[in-house]
Amino acid sequence: MFSRSPVQRRRAVLAVLLAVSLVLLTVYFSEPVGGGLHAIQRGAGDALSPLETGASRAFKPFGDLVGWVGDVTDAKKENKQLKSEVKNLRGQLAQLATDKHEAEQLRALTQVSANLPANAKTVTARVIAHSPTVWYQTIQIDKGRSDGVRVNQPVITAGGLAGRVIATTNGNARVALITDASSAVSAEIMPKGVSGIIKPEIGGKDLILDFIPKNSHVRRGEIVVTSGFRSGELQSLFPRGIPIGQVGSVNQDQLEVYQRVRVRAYADLRNMDFVQVVTSNGSQQVTAGAPRP
Amino acid sequence: MTPTPATFARLAALVLFGVVLQVAGVATIHIFGTQPDLVPLIVGAVGLLGGSMYAAVVGFSCGLLIDLALGQPLGASSLVLTAVGYAVGRYQEVRDPAHGLLPIPIGAAATAGYVVGFAALSFMLEVRGPVSASVIREMIITILLNALLALLIFPLIRRFMRASLVGDPRRRPANAPTGPLGLRGLEI
């Protein structure tokens, strides 16, 4: 035995160890649970149990420390993940709020367009730019000549009348709001049917309904709509019955022939996202021409 | 290693301490969802220090103790760890590598051999259910963790076994050269 070379001895040891392992495996799997090897295993487990308990207790602080580090790492990772999720959700929330706002505006716009003549045609457009000055109350919309938009066509928005088209390109158009200094709209007070001209109050928020006869009894809260008058060749740009606003106050100056009525516009002209251009008021195509009240 | 009773006692203590520490302590630590495994590192370190025969015996002993302690099929771990220890030991005997970072590849290779071998054996023996792909991820993380841990474990085991090592350049000579008073250091 001792004369064996180191190589043989090494190989013999390996072979023996592997063989023992294989025998153990074979016996372990072939014997029942109550067999000898299983019993030895249970006994060894019992014997090692105190050692394991001691080691576990001794190792616990270190394990807790590593666990704490791991927990902190996990918490950081989770925090990062949650932040990303919150960011996404905020984006979704903003998108939903925008969608809701736009849906409300479109719904209100539909209600206004219901006041138009039965076979009137409209083009819905998105407001893409607002004039930044108080002197030129204009907006730019994303529909133009190619969509049938022409100069002087009336524009409505959620709440009521917004203005008229003053310039077009192929893909967009500029709209002068009813608060623009150049604007003048023939209107009448409902239900009395008193007519006048709506003009903007420069620098103010309200509109002025002028040329109302003094003997007309105008009351606060009465509704002002477009009159859509027609007199021979002369015809208003705006179809009849589009809501403009409601009477806020009445100014009766003794020296004036007419009374001036302050009107609060229904349309929120500073926060419009969508408008509708009335391309046909039902009777005839609204086409370019000289600005008329 | 010199085959003295002290060496065997140290190896036995190493096996017992390593397995108990692994089973009762290290196994409770979860890093990146898995835990490091000291046992293949112990077997690999002994293979580098003592060669194939010592490593095979230590691998067998560690495996048997693990199987006994954890109630696993007896012989499964010992079969794989014996092969791992023998392979590392043979590598040391044939190549005699000496590099400061050697524990990293040896630790990784020993761990890879153990986890892959044990997984293969488990498949052959009794695993019948579906296996998640995350098993592979855990195996890879264990190998990487052990590769790093080897830088700590290998020097500790070398230090623990230093008295039994033959020709270890770091080992302090047992008897300092002496000579007549006044002539020490002159190698007379």
Side-chain angles (χ1 to χ4, degrees), chain A residues 5-253:
Chain A
S5 70
V7 176
Q8 283 177 322
R9 197 167 61 219
R10 190 181 68 226
R11 286 179 182 166
V13 167
L14 177 67
V16 167
L17 293 176
L18 291 179
V20 171
S21 298
L22 287 171
V23 168
L24 282 172
L25 269 175
T26 309
V27 174
Y28 187 86
F29 276 100
S30 60
E31 74 172 13
V33 179
L37 281 184
H38 284 83
I40 291 172
Q41 197 173 37
R42 282 193 293 274
D46 291 342
L48 286 172
S49 178
L51 275 179
E52 288 172 8
T53 307
S56 178
R57 281 182 187 167
F59 203 76
K60 195 173 184 313
F62 183 70
D64 288 346
L65 177 68
V66 175
W68 179 78
V69 172
D71 288 347
V72 169
T73 309
D74 288 346
K76 276 187 177 176
K77 191 178 169 186
E78 197 176 355
N79 189 28
K80 195 177 174 184
Q81 194 179 342
L82 288 172
K83 275 184 178 171
S84 166
E85 208 170 313
V86 165
K87 195 178 171 186
N88 284 340
L89 287 173
R90 276 185 185 151
Q92 284 180 20
L93 187 65
Q95 185 61 46
L96 284 174
T98 306
D99 289 349
K100 189 187 170 201
H101 178 64
E102 289 182 356
E104 282 171 357
Q105 283 200 8
L106 287 170
R107 195 179 300 121
L109 195 54
T110 311
Q111 287 169 2
V112 173
S113 62
N115 293 321
L116 294 172
N119 44 0
K121 290 179 183 172
T122 58
V123 171
T124 304
R126 182 183 284 272
V127 177
I128 55 176
H130 290 260
S131 168
T133 70
V134 294
W135 305 106
Y136 301 101
Q137 295 279 325
T138 59
I139 56 168
Q140 198 159 353
I141 58 174
D142 66 347
K143 294 286 164 61
R145 273 200 301 272
S146 59
D147 304 290
V149 176
R150 299 288 184 269
V151 172
N152 284 331
Q153 286 176 340
V155 177
I156 58 174
T157 186
L161 186 68
R164 63 182 172 86
V165 177
I166 56 169
T168 57
T169 63
N170 215 22
N172 56 53
R174 206 161 78 242
V175 175
L177 302 177
I178 51 175
T179 49
D180 186 77
S182 67
S183 171
V185 181
S186 61
E188 60 184 340
I189 300 169
M190 291 297 179
K192 294 188 177 77
V194 183
S195 294
I197 301 292
I198 283 277
K199 288 182 174 178
E201 183 189 41
I202 304 298
K205 293 178 183 175
D206 293 338
L207 303 167
I208 303 296
L209 180 59
D210 211 347
F211 306 113
I212 302 291
K214 269 194 170 177
N215 56 358
S216 305
H217 296 288
V218 179
R219 288 180 185 170
R220 190 174 177 174
E222 287 181 327
I223 296 168
V224 180
V225 299
T226 53
S227 63
F229 80 91
R230 182 193 289 257
S231 175
E233 289 294 312
L234 199 60
Q235 182 188 354
S236 173
L237 293 173
F238 304 98
R240 184 180 170 79
I242 301 175
I244 297 175
Q246 66 179 39
V247 174
S249 61
V250 182
N251 180 16
Q252 284 190 336
D253 194 333

Side-chain angles (χ1 to χ4, degrees), chain B residues 48-124:
Chain B
L48 273 188
L49 295 174
S52 59
M53 215 161 62
Y54 284 102
V57 172
V58 166
F60 177 83
S61 311
C62 282
L64 194 63
L65 207 54
I66 285 176
D67 291 341
L68 284 170
L70 297 178
Q72 293 173 172
L74 272 186
S77 298
S78 54
L79 184 68
V80 178
L81 284 171
T82 301
V84 168
Y86 186 80
V88 175
R90 283 303 293 154
Y91 175 73
Q92 188 272 335
E93 288 162 359
V94 174
R95 297 288 178 89
D96 195 16
H99 192 281
L101 295 176
L102 193 63
I104 293 178
I106 294 294
T111 309
Y114 176 54
V115 294
V116 172
F118 194 79
L121 197 64
S122 301
F123 272 116
M124 285 188 278

